[in-house]
PDB file of all heavy atoms in Angstrom:
ATOM      1  N   TYR A   1       0.791  -1.206   0.017  1.00 94.00           N
ATOM      2  CA  TYR A   1       0.007   0.005   0.011  1.00 94.00           C
ATOM      3  C   TYR A   1       0.870   1.245   0.020  1.00 94.00           C
ATOM      4  O   TYR A   1       0.393   2.301   0.419  1.00 94.00           O
ATOM      5  CB  TYR A   1      -0.919  -0.013   1.234  1.00 94.00           C
ATOM      6  CG  TYR A   1      -0.276  -0.268   2.519  1.00 94.00           C
ATOM      7  CD1 TYR A   1       0.308   0.728   3.280  1.00 94.00           C
ATOM      8  CD2 TYR A   1      -0.233  -1.572   3.031  1.00 94.00           C
ATOM      9  CE1 TYR A   1       0.951   0.478   4.488  1.00 94.00           C
ATOM     10  CE2 TYR A   1       0.381  -1.880   4.254  1.00 94.00           C
ATOM     11  CZ  TYR A   1       0.990  -0.834   4.976  1.00 94.00           C
ATOM     12  OH  TYR A   1       1.591  -1.089   6.147  1.00 94.00           O
ATOM     13  N   ALA A   2       2.112   1.137  -0.460  1.00 96.00           N
ATOM     14  CA  ALA A   2       2.967   2.331  -0.540  1.00 96.00           C
ATOM     15  C   ALA A   2       2.412   3.334  -1.482  1.00 96.00           C
ATOM     16  O   ALA A   2       1.635   3.017  -2.389  1.00 96.00           O
ATOM     17  CB  ALA A   2       4.369   1.904  -0.958  1.00 96.00           C
ATOM     18  N   SER A   3       2.832   4.569  -1.376  1.00 95.00           N
ATOM     19  CA  SER A   3       2.354   5.673  -2.230  1.00 95.00           C
ATOM     20  C   SER A   3       2.631   5.299  -3.683  1.00 95.00           C
ATOM     21  O   SER A   3       3.681   4.805  -4.065  1.00 95.00           O
ATOM     22  CB  SER A   3       3.111   6.952  -1.889  1.00 95.00           C
ATOM     23  OG  SER A   3       2.842   7.928  -2.855  1.00 95.00           O
ATOM     24  N   ARG A   4       1.659   5.616  -4.558  1.00 95.00           N
ATOM     25  CA  ARG A   4       1.795   5.428  -5.996  1.00 95.00           C
ATOM     26  C   ARG A   4       2.180   6.752  -6.711  1.00 95.00           C
ATOM     27  O   ARG A   4       2.293   6.761  -7.885  1.00 95.00           O
ATOM     28  CB  ARG A   4       0.487   4.877  -6.541  1.00 95.00           C
ATOM     29  CG  ARG A   4       0.085   3.557  -6.004  1.00 95.00           C
ATOM     30  CD  ARG A   4      -1.237   3.075  -6.546  1.00 95.00           C
ATOM     31  NE  ARG A   4      -1.677   1.794  -5.962  1.00 95.00           N
ATOM     32  CZ  ARG A   4      -2.818   1.198  -6.285  1.00 95.00           C
ATOM     33  NH1 ARG A   4      -3.611   1.730  -7.166  1.00 95.00           N
ATOM     34  NH2 ARG A   4      -3.173   0.061  -5.711  1.00 95.00           N
ATOM     35  N   VAL A   5       2.308   7.792  -5.917  1.00 96.00           N
ATOM     36  CA  VAL A   5       2.677   9.067  -6.500  1.00 96.00           C
ATOM     37  C   VAL A   5       4.165   9.365  -6.263  1.00 96.00           C
ATOM     38  O   VAL A   5       4.572   9.416  -5.124  1.00 96.00           O
ATOM     39  CB  VAL A   5       1.834  10.222  -5.835  1.00 96.00           C
ATOM     40  CG1 VAL A   5       2.186  11.551  -6.470  1.00 96.00           C
ATOM     41  CG2 VAL A   5       0.347   9.919  -5.965  1.00 96.00           C
ATOM     42  N   PRO A   6       4.925   9.468  -7.329  1.00 96.00           N
ATOM     43  CA  PRO A   6       6.370   9.643  -7.186  1.00 96.00           C
ATOM     44  C   PRO A   6       6.687  10.910  -6.315  1.00 96.00           C
ATOM     45  O   PRO A   6       6.077  11.980  -6.517  1.00 96.00           O
ATOM     46  CB  PRO A   6       6.854   9.850  -8.618  1.00 96.00           C
ATOM     47  CG  PRO A   6       5.853   9.129  -9.418  1.00 96.00           C
ATOM     48  CD  PRO A   6       4.503   9.384  -8.754  1.00 96.00           C
ATOM     49  N   GLY A   7       7.566  10.751  -5.343  1.00 96.00           N
ATOM     50  CA  GLY A   7       7.990  11.870  -4.535  1.00 96.00           C
ATOM     51  C   GLY A   7       6.969  12.352  -3.542  1.00 96.00           C
ATOM     52  O   GLY A   7       7.130  13.464  -2.990  1.00 96.00           O
ATOM     53  N   ARG A   8       5.964  11.564  -3.225  1.00 96.00           N
ATOM     54  CA  ARG A   8       4.959  11.909  -2.218  1.00 96.00           C
ATOM     55  C   ARG A   8       4.626  10.722  -1.407  1.00 96.00           C
ATOM     56  O   ARG A   8       4.449   9.617  -2.017  1.00 96.00           O
ATOM     57  CB  ARG A   8       3.659  12.455  -2.893  1.00 96.00           C
ATOM     58  CG  ARG A   8       3.861  13.722  -3.728  1.00 96.00           C
ATOM     59  CD  ARG A   8       4.090  14.930  -2.793  1.00 96.00           C
ATOM     60  NE  ARG A   8       4.068  16.173  -3.538  1.00 96.00           N
ATOM     61  CZ  ARG A   8       5.145  16.730  -4.073  1.00 96.00           C
ATOM     62  NH1 ARG A   8       6.337  16.111  -3.944  1.00 96.00           N
ATOM     63  NH2 ARG A   8       5.144  17.893  -4.690  1.00 96.00           N
ATOM     64  N   MET A   9       4.496  10.903  -0.106  1.00 95.00           N
ATOM     65  CA  MET A   9       4.120   9.746   0.728  1.00 95.00           C
ATOM     66  C   MET A   9       3.465  10.217   2.058  1.00 95.00           C
ATOM     67  O   MET A   9       3.662  11.381   2.444  1.00 95.00           O
ATOM     68  CB  MET A   9       5.294   8.855   1.056  1.00 95.00           C
ATOM     69  CG  MET A   9       6.319   9.420   2.034  1.00 95.00           C
ATOM     70  SD  MET A   9       7.589   8.274   2.605  1.00 95.00           S
ATOM     71  CE  MET A   9       6.624   7.236   3.754  1.00 95.00           C
ATOM     72  N   HIS A  10       2.721   9.317   2.703  1.00 94.00           N
ATOM     73  CA  HIS A  10       2.220   9.570   4.065  1.00 94.00           C
ATOM     74  C   HIS A  10       3.360   9.276   4.987  1.00 94.00           C
ATOM     75  O   HIS A  10       3.525   8.147   5.494  1.00 94.00           O
ATOM     76  CB  HIS A  10       1.048   8.596   4.336  1.00 94.00           C
ATOM     77  CG  HIS A  10      -0.268   8.979   3.706  1.00 94.00           C
ATOM     78  ND1 HIS A  10      -0.863  10.191   3.973  1.00 94.00           N
ATOM     79  CD2 HIS A  10      -1.010   8.367   2.837  1.00 94.00           C
ATOM     80  CE1 HIS A  10      -2.017  10.263   3.264  1.00 94.00           C
ATOM     81  NE2 HIS A  10      -2.114   9.193   2.554  1.00 94.00           N
ATOM     82  N   ALA A  11       4.183  10.268   5.295  1.00 96.00           N
ATOM     83  CA  ALA A  11       5.397  10.062   6.060  1.00 96.00           C
ATOM     84  C   ALA A  11       5.223  10.596   7.512  1.00 96.00           C
ATOM     85  O   ALA A  11       6.230  10.683   8.223  1.00 96.00           O
ATOM     86  CB  ALA A  11       6.585  10.788   5.409  1.00 96.00           C
ATOM     87  N   CYS A  12       3.998  10.891   7.918  1.00 96.00           N
ATOM     88  CA  CYS A  12       3.838  11.421   9.282  1.00 96.00           C
ATOM     89  C   CYS A  12       2.654  10.719  10.009  1.00 96.00           C
ATOM     90  O   CYS A  12       2.423  11.036  11.169  1.00 96.00           O
ATOM     91  CB  CYS A  12       3.617  12.928   9.259  1.00 96.00           C
ATOM     92  SG  CYS A  12       4.080  13.766  10.815  1.00 96.00           S
ATOM     93  N   GLY A  13       1.944   9.863   9.319  1.00 96.00           N
ATOM     94  CA  GLY A  13       0.912   9.092  10.023  1.00 96.00           C
ATOM     95  C   GLY A  13      -0.443   9.691  10.112  1.00 96.00           C
ATOM     96  O   GLY A  13      -1.333   9.186  10.821  1.00 96.00           O
ATOM     97  N   HIS A  14      -0.647  10.796   9.386  1.00 95.00           N
ATOM     98  CA  HIS A  14      -2.001  11.458   9.508  1.00 95.00           C
ATOM     99  C   HIS A  14      -3.090  10.535   8.920  1.00 95.00           C
ATOM    100  O   HIS A  14      -4.263  10.708   9.264  1.00 95.00           O
ATOM    101  CB  HIS A  14      -1.968  12.810   8.830  1.00 95.00           C
ATOM    102  CG  HIS A  14      -0.995  13.764   9.390  1.00 95.00           C
ATOM    103  ND1 HIS A  14      -0.751  15.022   8.882  1.00 95.00           N
ATOM    104  CD2 HIS A  14      -0.137  13.642  10.411  1.00 95.00           C
ATOM    105  CE1 HIS A  14       0.152  15.626   9.585  1.00 95.00           C
ATOM    106  NE2 HIS A  14       0.572  14.821  10.544  1.00 95.00           N
ATOM    107  N   ASP A  15      -2.695   9.630   8.001  1.00 94.00           N
ATOM    108  CA  ASP A  15      -3.658   8.634   7.505  1.00 94.00           C
ATOM    109  C   ASP A  15      -4.132   7.758   8.618  1.00 94.00           C
ATOM    110  O   ASP A  15      -5.297   7.413   8.739  1.00 94.00           O
ATOM    111  CB  ASP A  15      -3.097   7.900   6.312  1.00 94.00           C
ATOM    112  CG  ASP A  15      -1.706   7.299   6.623  1.00 94.00           C
ATOM    113  OD1 ASP A  15      -1.033   7.769   7.548  1.00 94.00           O
ATOM    114  OD2 ASP A  15      -1.291   6.358   5.928  1.00 94.00           O
ATOM    115  N   GLY A  16      -3.176   7.392   9.520  1.00 96.00           N
ATOM    116  CA  GLY A  16      -3.571   6.593  10.663  1.00 96.00           C
ATOM    117  C   GLY A  16      -4.410   7.350  11.659  1.00 96.00           C
ATOM    118  O   GLY A  16      -5.325   6.817  12.279  1.00 96.00           O
ATOM    119  N   HIS A  17      -4.069   8.670  11.868  1.00 97.00           N
ATOM    120  CA  HIS A  17      -4.881   9.495  12.738  1.00 97.00           C
ATOM    121  C   HIS A  17      -6.288   9.548  12.241  1.00 97.00           C
ATOM    122  O   HIS A  17      -7.274   9.527  13.023  1.00 97.00           O
ATOM    123  CB  HIS A  17      -4.316  10.914  12.826  1.00 97.00           C
ATOM    124  CG  HIS A  17      -2.860  10.951  13.272  1.00 97.00           C
ATOM    125  ND1 HIS A  17      -2.038  12.025  12.986  1.00 97.00           N
ATOM    126  CD2 HIS A  17      -2.077  10.059  13.981  1.00 97.00           C
ATOM    127  CE1 HIS A  17      -0.840  11.795  13.522  1.00 97.00           C
ATOM    128  NE2 HIS A  17      -0.863  10.584  14.122  1.00 97.00           N
ATOM    129  N   THR A  18      -6.432   9.727  10.903  1.00 96.00           N
ATOM    130  CA  THR A  18      -7.793   9.759  10.351  1.00 96.00           C
ATOM    131  C   THR A  18      -8.565   8.476  10.580  1.00 96.00           C
ATOM    132  O   THR A  18      -9.759   8.494  10.901  1.00 96.00           O
ATOM    133  CB  THR A  18      -7.661  10.031   8.783  1.00 96.00           C
ATOM    134  OG1 THR A  18      -6.965  11.243   8.591  1.00 96.00           O
ATOM    135  CG2 THR A  18      -9.001  10.065   8.116  1.00 96.00           C
ATOM    136  N   ALA A  19      -7.856   7.344  10.443  1.00 97.00           N
ATOM    137  CA  ALA A  19      -8.523   6.069  10.702  1.00 97.00           C
ATOM    138  C   ALA A  19      -9.004   5.957  12.152  1.00 97.00           C
ATOM    139  O   ALA A  19     -10.099   5.442  12.460  1.00 97.00           O
ATOM    140  CB  ALA A  19      -7.539   4.917  10.395  1.00 97.00           C
ATOM    141  N   MET A  20      -8.176   6.426  13.095  1.00 98.00           N
ATOM    142  CA  MET A  20      -8.557   6.452  14.497  1.00 98.00           C
ATOM    143  C   MET A  20      -9.860   7.225  14.717  1.00 98.00           C
ATOM    144  O   MET A  20     -10.791   6.791  15.385  1.00 98.00           O
ATOM    145  CB  MET A  20      -7.463   7.057  15.368  1.00 98.00           C
ATOM    146  CG  MET A  20      -6.235   6.212  15.501  1.00 98.00           C
ATOM    147  SD  MET A  20      -5.003   7.174  16.468  1.00 98.00           S
ATOM    148  CE  MET A  20      -3.638   5.987  16.550  1.00 98.00           C
ATOM    149  N   LEU A  21      -9.882   8.436  14.158  1.00 98.00           N
ATOM    150  CA  LEU A  21     -11.070   9.305  14.368  1.00 98.00           C
ATOM    151  C   LEU A  21     -12.314   8.758  13.659  1.00 98.00           C
ATOM    152  O   LEU A  21     -13.434   8.868  14.171  1.00 98.00           O
ATOM    153  CB  LEU A  21     -10.725  10.723  13.918  1.00 98.00           C
ATOM    154  CG  LEU A  21     -11.602  11.837  14.485  1.00 98.00           C
ATOM    155  CD1 LEU A  21     -11.602  11.821  16.023  1.00 98.00           C
ATOM    156  CD2 LEU A  21     -11.107  13.191  14.012  1.00 98.00           C
ATOM    157  N   LEU A  22     -12.135   8.167  12.500  1.00 98.00           N
ATOM    158  CA  LEU A  22     -13.267   7.522  11.807  1.00 98.00           C
ATOM    159  C   LEU A  22     -13.771   6.322  12.625  1.00 98.00           C
ATOM    160  O   LEU A  22     -14.982   6.128  12.754  1.00 98.00           O
ATOM    161  CB  LEU A  22     -12.805   7.052  10.432  1.00 98.00           C
ATOM    162  CG  LEU A  22     -12.653   8.117   9.373  1.00 98.00           C
ATOM    163  CD1 LEU A  22     -11.971   7.529   8.143  1.00 98.00           C
ATOM    164  CD2 LEU A  22     -13.972   8.721   9.017  1.00 98.00           C
ATOM    165  N   GLY A  23     -12.855   5.589  13.245  1.00 98.00           N
ATOM    166  CA  GLY A  23     -13.287   4.474  14.094  1.00 98.00           C
ATOM    167  C   GLY A  23     -14.076   4.959  15.284  1.00 98.00           C
ATOM    168  O   GLY A  23     -15.082   4.419  15.696  1.00 98.00           O
ATOM    169  N   ALA A  24     -13.602   6.089  15.870  1.00 98.00           N
ATOM    170  CA  ALA A  24     -14.298   6.686  17.019  1.00 98.00           C
ATOM    171  C   ALA A  24     -15.687   7.201  16.608  1.00 98.00           C
ATOM    172  O   ALA A  24     -16.676   7.078  17.304  1.00 98.00           O
ATOM    173  CB  ALA A  24     -13.501   7.790  17.645  1.00 98.00           C
ATOM    174  N   ALA A  25     -15.729   7.803  15.442  1.00 98.00           N
ATOM    175  CA  ALA A  25     -17.010   8.301  14.921  1.00 98.00           C
ATOM    176  C   ALA A  25     -17.990   7.199  14.777  1.00 98.00           C
ATOM    177  O   ALA A  25     -19.178   7.318  15.155  1.00 98.00           O
ATOM    178  CB  ALA A  25     -16.770   8.990  13.563  1.00 98.00           C
ATOM    179  N   LYS A  26     -17.561   6.058  14.201  1.00 98.00           N
ATOM    180  CA  LYS A  26     -18.452   4.913  14.082  1.00 98.00           C
ATOM    181  C   LYS A  26     -18.961   4.376  15.447  1.00 98.00           C
ATOM    182  O   LYS A  26     -20.129   4.115  15.625  1.00 98.00           O
ATOM    183  CB  LYS A  26     -17.707   3.777  13.311  1.00 98.00           C
ATOM    184  CG  LYS A  26     -18.589   2.563  13.005  1.00 98.00           C
ATOM    185  CD  LYS A  26     -17.790   1.589  12.143  1.00 98.00           C
ATOM    186  CE  LYS A  26     -18.664   0.455  11.626  1.00 98.00           C
ATOM    187  NZ  LYS A  26     -19.140  -0.420  12.744  1.00 98.00           N
ATOM    188  N   GLY A  27     -17.981   4.260  16.366  1.00 98.00           N
ATOM    189  CA  GLY A  27     -18.319   3.793  17.695  1.00 98.00           C
ATOM    190  C   GLY A  27     -19.263   4.704  18.445  1.00 98.00           C
ATOM    191  O   GLY A  27     -20.242   4.241  19.055  1.00 98.00           O
ATOM    192  N   LEU A  28     -19.031   5.979  18.364  1.00 98.00           N
ATOM    193  CA  LEU A  28     -19.857   6.973  19.090  1.00 98.00           C
ATOM    194  C   LEU A  28     -21.256   6.992  18.473  1.00 98.00           C
ATOM    195  O   LEU A  28     -22.262   7.147  19.198  1.00 98.00           O
ATOM    196  CB  LEU A  28     -19.204   8.337  19.078  1.00 98.00           C
ATOM    197  CG  LEU A  28     -17.947   8.509  19.903  1.00 98.00           C
ATOM    198  CD1 LEU A  28     -17.252   9.814  19.574  1.00 98.00           C
ATOM    199  CD2 LEU A  28     -18.300   8.477  21.395  1.00 98.00           C
ATOM    200  N   ALA A  29     -21.314   6.866  17.137  1.00 97.00           N
ATOM    201  CA  ALA A  29     -22.610   6.938  16.512  1.00 97.00           C
ATOM    202  C   ALA A  29     -23.443   5.660  16.830  1.00 97.00           C
ATOM    203  O   ALA A  29     -24.698   5.732  16.937  1.00 97.00           O
ATOM    204  CB  ALA A  29     -22.435   6.965  14.969  1.00 97.00           C
ATOM    205  N   GLU A  30     -22.774   4.579  17.145  1.00 97.00           N
ATOM    206  CA  GLU A  30     -23.476   3.305  17.451  1.00 97.00           C
ATOM    207  C   GLU A  30     -23.895   3.259  18.937  1.00 97.00           C
ATOM    208  O   GLU A  30     -24.991   2.813  19.234  1.00 97.00           O
ATOM    209  CB  GLU A  30     -22.593   2.118  17.135  1.00 97.00           C
ATOM    210  CG  GLU A  30     -22.393   1.866  15.642  1.00 97.00           C
ATOM    211  CD  GLU A  30     -21.379   0.791  15.376  1.00 97.00           C
ATOM    212  OE1 GLU A  30     -20.680   0.374  16.328  1.00 97.00           O
ATOM    213  OE2 GLU A  30     -21.259   0.369  14.198  1.00 97.00           O
ATOM    214  N   THR A  31     -23.072   3.724  19.789  1.00 96.00           N
ATOM    215  CA  THR A  31     -23.322   3.646  21.251  1.00 96.00           C
ATOM    216  C   THR A  31     -24.102   4.799  21.822  1.00 96.00           C
ATOM    217  O   THR A  31     -24.886   4.617  22.709  1.00 96.00           O
ATOM    218  CB  THR A  31     -21.994   3.443  22.012  1.00 96.00           C
ATOM    219  OG1 THR A  31     -21.195   4.611  21.834  1.00 96.00           O
ATOM    220  CG2 THR A  31     -21.267   2.223  21.557  1.00 96.00           C
ATOM    221  N   ARG A  32     -23.802   5.990  21.315  1.00 95.00           N
ATOM    222  CA  ARG A  32     -24.504   7.210  21.795  1.00 95.00           C
ATOM    223  C   ARG A  32     -24.422   7.354  23.313  1.00 95.00           C
ATOM    224  O   ARG A  32     -25.302   7.893  23.952  1.00 95.00           O
ATOM    225  CB  ARG A  32     -25.980   7.219  21.363  1.00 95.00           C
ATOM    226  CG  ARG A  32     -26.153   7.204  19.866  1.00 95.00           C
ATOM    227  CD  ARG A  32     -25.914   8.560  19.230  1.00 95.00           C
ATOM    228  NE  ARG A  32     -26.046   8.497  17.798  1.00 95.00           N
ATOM    229  CZ  ARG A  32     -25.985   9.581  16.996  1.00 95.00           C
ATOM    230  NH1 ARG A  32     -25.839  10.775  17.520  1.00 95.00           N
ATOM    231  NH2 ARG A  32     -26.100   9.436  15.674  1.00 95.00           N
ATOM    232  N   ASN A  33     -23.327   6.947  23.883  1.00 96.00           N
ATOM    233  CA  ASN A  33     -23.154   6.975  25.355  1.00 96.00           C
ATOM    234  C   ASN A  33     -22.532   8.296  25.820  1.00 96.00           C
ATOM    235  O   ASN A  33     -21.593   8.309  26.597  1.00 96.00           O
ATOM    236  CB  ASN A  33     -22.296   5.763  25.797  1.00 96.00           C
ATOM    237  CG  ASN A  33     -22.294   5.643  27.324  1.00 96.00           C
ATOM    238  OD1 ASN A  33     -23.271   6.002  27.997  1.00 96.00           O
ATOM    239  ND2 ASN A  33     -21.193   5.148  27.834  1.00 96.00           N
TER     240      ASN A  33
END
């Protein structure tokens, strides 16, 4: 899943941060606690 764009990459993990927040969004929407 490495970058397909020459000279560009996710080199700081913000894609992972996005996944965390999306996971929290899903969980909060389901539990509403």
Side-chain angles (χ1 to χ4, degrees):
Y1 50 86
S3 172
R4 299 179 183 178
V5 181
R8 297 287 187 272
M9 72 170 286
H10 284 299
C12 205
H14 300 178
D15 50 340
H17 303 158
T18 300
M20 290 176 177
L21 200 54
L22 286 170
K26 185 175 187 294
L28 290 168
E30 290 173 348
T31 61
R32 300 282 178 174
N33 188 30

